[in-house]
Amino acid sequence: MIASIDTSLIDWSRAQFALTAMYHWLFVPLTLGLGVIQAIMETIYYKTGNEFWKKTAQFWMKLFGINFAIGVATGLILEFEFGTNWSNYSWFVGDIFGAPLAIEGILAFFMEATFIAVMFFGWDKVSKRFHLASTWLTIIGATLSALWILIANAWMQYPVGMHFNPDTVRNEMFDFWAVALSPVAINKFFHTVLSGWIVGAVFVMGVSSWYLLKKRETEFSLESIKVGAIFGLVASILIVWTGDGSAYQVAQKQPMKLAAMEGLYEGGNGTGLVAIGLLNPDKTSYKDNVNPFIFDIKIPKLLSFLAERDVDAYVPGIVNLIEGGYTTNKGTVALSAAEKIEKGRIAIQALADYRKAVKDKDQVAAEQARSLLDENFAYFGYGYIKDPADLVPHVGLTFYSFRVMVLLGGYFILLIVGKTLASLVLDILKDHPFLLALQIGGDHIVDPADLQLLVIVRLVLRRVISIERADIPMDRPDLYDVGVCNKGVHGVGQPANQQIFLEEVHHLPVHSCIQALTGKELLMHHIDGELIKPVCQQKLLKIQREHALYFNASDGDRGGLLQGHTEQRPAGDIGKP
């Protein structure tokens, strides 16, 4: 059957799924970060009772809602593609892979979908405490969604807590907590959430910086930047720790990915980390003896320390992993790729012999085949590999994506630290346009690029646990049409999303009007509905003149003067101070 599979069909399936995942990933981190920031702002409003913070939270909540809606839509497409593109995989590992996805839908998604309605439409309809709780529960639900999805993804990287059932020819879960608490899953969750927090902080600071450049909403912008900067600074400190843990997990569980990330072909003891390097385009194979770098600058022994917590530890390269024979950190001798492929073929044949023996009711033969299968099943997937070179990921893509991702991540950390100093310590932010422009560029250009590089590095070389094939219930022309239509929708959806964002940013509640009229508490009380729209200076002066008349009018005339600047209120409330 393997020989009859059209590899171009598999490539199209991978391309469609990869593009959908990368598009979806544009929205997820902002949801995680902006949701917490808006909840912090509403918490400040709850504690202080200051209407300024209510309006500020409501503004960011609108942008959160736009982003959340498109994120949900693109996420649903990914769910369907598990069936349309990878139906055989979904059936083969559905008992394990489906469990965290089901929990995500039933628990986390329902939780956020329920409380998001209260968060958006519950203002002045529920108590302040209940609304605040709904806001926090919405973002907690979104974070839990990320947790269970990342648990599923981590299991693909590091499959644990399951065994293979030769009678059903499926992998089945036997230890749920081993899957849920996998060290890869836990580290991946914290690292992803913290990256989302940084994205949210950079976004808030970027939009606020635009307002400062336009000389608009100074107090709103500065206060938003302060919240974003402090929040981003905390996330930036923590993400250094989770990033180190992520690299360590890759070294322990996926050494081939680490070797590709470092362009490391020949390993050794006390291996250095490539800080700057340019790969040699003439290097086309792991065994061609061509120098992999045109030039490189290494930090001595740092890779050994990061990978094994020992500056003199052995780190295998691509050639070592393919040829084997080195001593692992567990004290065993590593098998070569050829030996793993042979063991995989033995496991595949043992499975066929077992099923035949069961069908023939030959108990002895079945037990022998089952024993041979269990002995070699760890290498089952290798049995479908024809050339050891297929086990090597694209080195150039992985090497450069990882380095640019780290470089941009460092840029964000420096940017957040600089914004924190400028806004909180030196109070010079609004007087330095260059700092504002730098922030806006990071928000709109650098940030999305860094997110896509993170996806590339994360998804390279997902470990194939038992099978190297796809069973896709559509022929190639159909899949091509679906892929083109899918990307067409994305091409329209992203500009539309950005246009909606821009519309909402331009229609920011004008806090400067609130500041100008704070001496008239009655005015603030009655024109609350007006403040959710842009108010130009001329209109503001008109409102001030009319309300000056209000204070000098008789009780009987005040109701008419307020008409047009109030929401619908009971008649008995109109003239009350």
Side-chain angles (χ1 to χ4, degrees):
M1 178 178 177
I2 294 299
S4 66
I5 290 180
D6 186 349
T7 56
S8 64
L9 182 61
I10 299 177
D11 291 339
W12 263 108
S13 300
R14 289 171 174 165
Q16 184 188 22
F17 193 88
L19 289 172
T20 306
M22 294 174 73
Y23 184 73
H24 176 61
W25 186 245
L26 286 172
F27 308 101
V28 174
L30 184 56
T31 296
L32 298 176
L34 188 56
V36 178
I37 291 175
Q38 72 181 19
I40 291 173
M41 291 176 174
E42 186 177 346
T43 302
I44 298 174
Y45 163 65
Y46 176 80
K47 291 290 187 181
T48 64
N50 188 343
E51 288 289 317
F52 168 84
W53 286 108
K54 177 182 178 181
K55 297 299 182 183
T56 302
Q58 287 176 329
F59 170 73
W60 294 114
M61 204 169 281
K62 285 184 180 181
L63 300 186
F64 171 85
I66 297 167
N67 187 78
F68 180 86
I70 300 180
V72 169
T74 54
L76 290 175
I77 296 174
L78 278 175
E79 294 273 7
F80 285 120
E81 286 183 5
F82 283 124
T84 58
N85 293 31
W86 309 112
S87 58
N88 195 56
Y89 176 81
S90 299
W91 173 83
F92 187 61
V93 299
D95 283 357
I96 314 107
F97 192 71
L101 295 181
I103 295 173
E104 185 271 334
I106 295 172
L107 172 64
F109 185 73
F110 272 52
M111 178 179 173
E112 56 187 314
T114 299
F115 287 103
I116 197 172
V118 180
M119 185 182 79
F120 277 109
F121 306 113
W123 292 103
D124 303 321
K125 295 181 176 65
V126 298
S127 68
K128 291 170 61 176
R129 178 179 296 180
F130 185 76
H131 191 277
L132 178 63
S134 299
T135 301
W136 278 109
L137 287 172
T138 298
I139 185 57
I140 289 172
T143 305
L144 289 176
S145 289
L147 170 65
W148 292 108
I149 292 171
L150 290 169
I151 286 173
N153 179 266
W155 182 82
M156 298 171 70
Q157 310 272 350
Y158 179 55
V160 292
M162 62 87 179
H163 63 80
F164 177 69
N165 186 340
D167 296 311
T168 61
V169 197
R170 299 184 70 197
N171 283 313
E172 298 174 353
M173 184 188 300
F174 71 86
D175 189 346
F176 171 79
W177 294 111
V179 175
L181 300 178
S182 161
V184 175
I186 298 302
N187 180 268
K188 188 182 294 291
F189 167 70
F190 283 111
H191 193 57
T192 300
V193 170
L194 288 171
S195 68
W197 288 7
I198 292 177
V199 169
V202 171
F203 178 80
V204 168
M205 292 190 294
V207 174
S208 301
S209 296
W210 183 83
Y211 281 119
L212 289 178
L213 277 177
K214 295 294 183 180
K215 307 297 183 181
R216 292 175 53 188
E217 312 310 324
T218 302
E219 182 184 5
F220 162 81
S221 302
L222 289 176
E223 293 301 320
S224 294
I225 286 175
K226 288 177 183 178
V227 173
I230 295 172
F231 181 70
L233 184 62
V234 173
S236 299
I237 294 171
L238 294 175
I239 205 170
V240 174
W241 168 62
T242 59
D244 172 69
S246 181
Y248 178 75
Q249 291 299 330
V250 169
Q252 299 299 308
K253 309 299 190 305
Q254 296 173 297
M256 183 63 81
K257 179 189 287 189
L258 179 71
M261 287 164 54
E262 289 300 315
L264 181 65
Y265 284 84
E266 292 286 349
N269 297 92
T271 307
L273 178 74
V274 178
I276 301 174
L278 181 64
L279 293 175
N280 189 346
D282 294 333
K283 182 73 174 178
T284 58
S285 172
Y286 70 93
K287 53 185 178 182
D288 59 8
N289 295 322
V290 175
N291 191 330
F293 289 96
I294 294 177
F295 80 90
D296 62 314
I297 300 175
K298 293 184 178 181
I299 302 175
K301 299 191 176 185
L302 184 58
L303 183 61
S304 290
F305 177 76
L306 295 176
E308 299 291 344
R309 303 298 189 248
D310 181 356
V311 294
D312 295 318
Y314 181 85
V315 178
I318 293 173
V319 174
N320 310 115
L321 292 166
I322 294 296
E323 296 181 352
Y326 65 92
T327 303
T328 68
N329 56 6
K330 297 179 181 179
T332 60
V333 177
L335 297 177
S336 67
E339 291 173 313
K340 293 176 181 178
I341 291 172
E342 181 59 30
K343 284 180 173 291
R345 291 172 179 169
I346 292 173
I348 293 171
Q349 185 60 48
L351 174 61
D353 294 341
Y354 173 81
R355 292 178 62 80
K356 183 178 183 300
V358 170
K359 183 178 180 180
D360 296 339
K361 298 182 179 181
D362 187 342
Q363 187 68 25
V364 175
E367 290 179 357
Q368 291 176 345
R370 177 63 184 270
S371 176
L372 190 60
L373 174 62
D374 292 341
E375 180 182 344
N376 295 279
F377 180 75
Y379 307 98
F380 191 98
Y382 286 95
Y384 294 101
I385 301 297
K386 296 180 180 179
D387 184 356
D390 293 338
L391 296 171
V392 182
H394 194 293
V395 176
L397 177 65
T398 313
F399 177 85
Y400 288 122
S401 295
F402 176 71
R403 266 150 190 79
V404 176
M405 179 192 72
V406 173
L407 179 66
L408 296 181
Y411 166 77
F412 288 139
I413 293 174
L414 293 176
L415 188 63
I416 289 172
V417 171
K419 275 296 184 69
T420 304
L421 292 174
S423 60
L424 296 179
V425 180
L426 302 177
D427 194 23
I428 60 172
L429 187 59
K430 61 180 179 294
D431 301 322
H432 287 72
F434 175 73
L435 288 176
L436 302 176
L438 201 64
Q439 177 67 59
I440 295 172
D443 179 24
H444 294 288
I445 301 173
V446 181
D447 199 1
D450 196 36
L451 293 176
Q452 299 309 302
L453 294 169
L454 178 62
V455 174
I456 291 172
V457 173
R458 178 167 294 163
L459 297 186
V460 165
L461 200 70
R462 276 189 301 202
R463 182 176 175 182
V464 180
I465 52 174
S466 300
I467 197 162
E468 184 71 22
R469 57 180 176 176
D471 180 19
I472 308 169
M474 57 174 71
D475 58 25
R476 186 170 58 211
D478 288 339
L479 187 61
Y480 175 82
D481 293 340
V482 170
V484 171
C485 292
N486 186 263
K487 294 314 119 188
V489 170
H490 290 173
V492 173
Q494 178 64 6
N497 171 66
Q498 293 190 359
Q499 182 62 33
I500 296 172
F501 263 148
L502 291 175
E503 289 290 334
E504 290 299 329
V505 168
H506 281 292
H507 288 77
L508 168 71
V510 186
H511 289 85
S512 57
C513 296
I514 299 177
Q515 299 166 29
L517 302 174
T518 50
K520 309 291 188 182
E521 294 185 2
L522 182 63
L523 173 62
M524 287 184 60
H525 180 66
H526 283 295
I527 68 168
D528 189 51
E530 188 68 29
L531 289 173
I532 65 173
K533 302 174 185 177
V535 182
C536 65
Q537 187 64 29
Q538 183 178 1
K539 190 170 184 179
L540 178 60
L541 292 173
K542 180 181 177 182
I543 294 173
Q544 288 176 310
R545 286 196 299 269
E546 291 177 351
H547 282 79
L549 292 174
Y550 167 82
F551 283 105
N552 297 321
S554 63
D555 289 343
D557 294 334
R558 287 183 178 177
L561 290 172
L562 283 168
Q563 189 175 12
H565 297 295
T566 68
E567 300 175 333
Q568 292 289 336
R569 301 180 185 273
D573 291 346
I574 292 294
K576 292 181 180 180

